[in-house]
């Protein structure tokens, strides 16, 4: 009996790999770019639509590849316009992404793993450990599909890798996805400065990211002493604050760009004025901006959200020291879509 070959997601293929595939099947390399433009520029759902590709090649491609859309099982809308998508993956796991309306454009919060191994004490994603990495195609499908939700008035222009998982712990798949996301020729053509990768502080990969991609860097600092950071972010026991900030200072910043430092304010833990002053000293001289996020509560953690006055006082200290410090409004917290609340469950 002849078995049907398992078809592969074409979203997992880089341009170079598809070029080689074409050559191996007696085609010119040119075809690879043509097919990828159909998929990423023209949002094709099938090879049959690719009218300027010969019939025989279209049939061959259909035999070998799929062009998957996400299987969106649940779409939850927040009162503030934020929409959370739960996509079911081929193996029954689930990935969440969040589309956030901002003035005149949309931002998508992208996931890179199911769960997360980093074990930050305040984060719901990490509370169940790591289940698995997402493939490049699974990362890309979140972005390609979200594009369909965009309109002319509100195009999808910004991506933040701040969903489920630690992006730099899934480094190779992240970089492969980013290459497609920022390729104008045969990818999704996002501007590098509008694509931000957030990390809890995997120091060796921070340097690599600066070399391998166009993306902007965000770092979840969340504490100003090693003692506190050790307690809330176990990664700090491997790469402490000094090592992390050293990697940040060495990060190759393209002109006009800054590193974003995220700082989750946890009541009575890291939210004092002394913390704010220490934070200013730690970041002195760096092209930095600070995103302050009041802790978003969830059932898996024991922390509390500081009151609004404490948040504003913390911000004021930073601003006195001439830092850009923004208090991030938690969008979508009524649907557990805010920072640190994502945790899709298995079917
Ligand atoms: N793993 C990466 C990318 C995820 S970003 C990272 O940690 O940077 C998720 C962001 O939400 C991080 O800045 C994290 O510090 C923050 N966060 C996690 N749990 C949170 C919570 N309960 N409330 C507010 N922010 C939280
Ligand atoms: Fe993982 Fe980031 Fe959550 Fe920490 S904050 S557990 S690194 S997703």
């Amino acid at each position: 009996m002849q078995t049907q070959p398992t078809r592969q997601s074409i979203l997992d293929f880089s341009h170079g790999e598809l070029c080689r595939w074409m050559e191996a099947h007696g085609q010119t390399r040119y075809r690879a770019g043509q097919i990828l433009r159909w998929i990423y520029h023209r949002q094709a759902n099938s090879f049959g639509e690719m009218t300027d590709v010969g019939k025989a090649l279209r049939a061959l491609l259909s035999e070998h590849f799929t062009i998957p859309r996400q299987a969106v099982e649940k779409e939850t809308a927040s009162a503030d316009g934020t929409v959370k998508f739960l996509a079911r993956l081929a193996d029954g796991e689930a990935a969440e992404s969040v589309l956030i309306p901002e003035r005149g454009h949309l931002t998508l919060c992208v996931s890179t793993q199911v769960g997360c191994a980093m074990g930050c004490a305040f984060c719901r994603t990490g509370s169940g450990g790591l289940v698995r990495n997402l493939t490049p195609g699974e990362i890309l499908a979140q972005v390609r599909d979200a594009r369909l939700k965009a309109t002319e008035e509100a195009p999808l222009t910004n991506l933040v890798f701040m969903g489920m998982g630690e992006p730099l712990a899934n480094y190779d798949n992240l970089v492969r996805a980013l290459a497609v996301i920022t390729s104008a020729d045969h990818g999704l053509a996002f501007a590098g400065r509008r694509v931000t990768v957030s990390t809890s502080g995997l120091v060796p990969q921070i340097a690599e990211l600066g070399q391998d991609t166009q993306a902007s860097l965000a770092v979840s600092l969340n504490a100003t002493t090693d003692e506190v950071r050790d307690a809330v972010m176990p990664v700090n026991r491997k790469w402490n604050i000094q090592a992390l900030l050293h990697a940040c200072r060495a990060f190759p910043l393209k002109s006009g760009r800054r590193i974003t430092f995220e700082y989750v304010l946890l009541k009575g833990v890291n939210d004092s004025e002394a913390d704010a002053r220490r934070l200013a000293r730690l970041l002195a001289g760096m092209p930095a901006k600070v995103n302050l996020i009041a802790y978003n509560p969830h059932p898996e953690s024991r922390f509390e959200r500081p009151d609004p006055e404490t948040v504003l006082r913390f911000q004021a200290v930073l601003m006195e020291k001439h830092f850009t410090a923004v208090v991030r409004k938690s969008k979508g917290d009524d649907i557990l879509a805010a920072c640190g609340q994502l945790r899709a469950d298995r079917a």
Side-chain angles (χ1 to χ4, degrees):
M1 201 176 73
Q2 226 186 353
T3 49
Q4 190 77 13
T6 4
R7 295 188 299 162
Q8 288 178 286
S9 164
I10 200 159
L11 305 185
D12 280 326
F13 277 67
S14 69
H15 177 244
E17 286 166 347
L18 202 57
C19 283
R20 285 192 288 283
W21 188 93
M22 289 294 171
E23 283 174 338
H25 289 79
Q27 307 287 330
T28 62
R29 292 169 69 87
Y30 168 79
R31 293 285 173 212
Q34 194 184 7
I35 303 294
L36 293 177
R37 278 190 291 280
W38 270 104
I39 292 170
Y40 295 112
H41 294 183
R42 299 167 82 167
Q43 288 281 3
N45 287 316
S46 70
F47 296 105
E49 291 167 49
M50 303 180 180
T51 44
D52 54 3
V53 177
K55 230 176 165 174
L57 178 55
R58 283 180 350 217
L60 189 67
L61 287 165
S62 308
E63 227 174 83
H64 284 85
F65 299 112
T66 57
I67 315 176
R69 288 282 174 203
Q70 292 195 104
V72 174
E73 194 172 277
K74 203 160 141 204
E75 218 178 291
T76 323
S78 156
D80 62 27
T82 302
V83 184
K84 180 167 78 171
F85 300 97
L86 186 144
R88 191 59 59 195
L89 307 171
D91 60 355
E93 297 299 342
E96 287 181 326
S97 45
V98 181
L99 197 57
I100 306 155
E102 287 174 303
R103 201 176 298 159
H105 72 266
L106 297 171
T107 296
L108 185 73
C109 182
V110 182
S111 291
T112 53
Q113 298 184 310
V114 179
C116 181
M118 307 308 293
C120 302
F122 44 80
C123 175
R124 186 160 181 253
T125 307
S127 65
L130 175 70
V131 178
R132 71 165 172 88
N133 284 331
L134 296 184
T135 66
E138 287 168 339
I139 297 171
L140 278 169
Q142 297 171 56
V143 184
R144 196 171 87 96
D145 290 6
R147 268 259 166 99
L148 295 178
K149 304 276 171 189
T151 59
E152 241 170 67
E153 299 81 64
L156 173 62
T157 52
N158 291 47
L159 302 179
V160 290
F161 284 78
M162 298 182 182
M164 291 162 49
E166 165 51 53
L168 299 189
N170 184 13
Y171 188 78
D172 293 343
N173 292 353
L174 171 78
V175 168
R176 288 171 65 101
L178 285 173
V180 177
I181 284 167
T182 56
S183 161
D185 292 341
H186 24 69
L188 289 163
F190 278 83
R193 82 197 140 80
R194 295 187 187 278
V195 177
T196 303
V197 173
S198 176
T199 179
S200 58
L202 297 188
V203 163
Q205 285 81 12
I206 288 175
E208 288 181 47
L209 187 77
Q211 280 164 9
D212 296 342
T213 77
Q214 303 291 315
S216 298
L217 178 67
V219 172
S220 300
L221 192 56
N222 299 344
T224 61
T225 64
D226 281 325
E227 198 190 347
V228 173
R229 202 165 190 268
D230 279 352
V232 296
M233 299 184 73
V235 65
N236 199 67
R237 297 175 208 155
K238 189 148 190 195
W239 292 291
N240 66 13
I241 293 178
Q242 196 193 354
L244 175 56
L245 294 180
H246 181 77
C248 292
R249 288 180 198 279
F251 189 79
L253 278 183
K254 316 226 164 23
S255 90
R257 290 206 213 167
R258 291 183 285 182
I259 298 178
T260 303
F261 288 91
E262 294 151 282
Y263 196 97
V264 181
L265 290 157
L266 307 164
K267 185 174 184 166
V269 177
N270 65 359
D271 62 347
S272 69
E273 285 191 48
D275 277 303
R277 283 194 296 273
R278 258 194 309 269
L279 180 56
R281 276 200 298 278
L282 286 173
L283 302 183
M286 229 192 288
K289 67 176 174 209
V290 180
N291 274 353
L292 299 172
I293 316 164
Y295 167 70
N296 292 310
H298 58 86
E300 282 87 353
S301 129
R302 60 192 155 79
F303 294 100
E304 286 173 60
R305 169 179 274 215
D307 45 58
E309 297 78 61
T310 309
V311 176
L312 291 178
R313 215 174 314 125
F314 198 100
Q315 180 190 30
V317 172
L318 291 172
M319 284 167 55
E320 264 165 41
K321 312 268 184 204
H322 310 290
F323 282 95
T324 307
V326 181
V327 179
R328 273 252 302 268
K329 296 259 173 313
S330 281
K331 297 225 173 152
D333 47 359
D334 54 339
I335 53 167
L336 280 181
C339 290
Q341 293 186 328
L342 297 182
R343 203 186 92 184
D345 290 316
R346 219 170 190 284

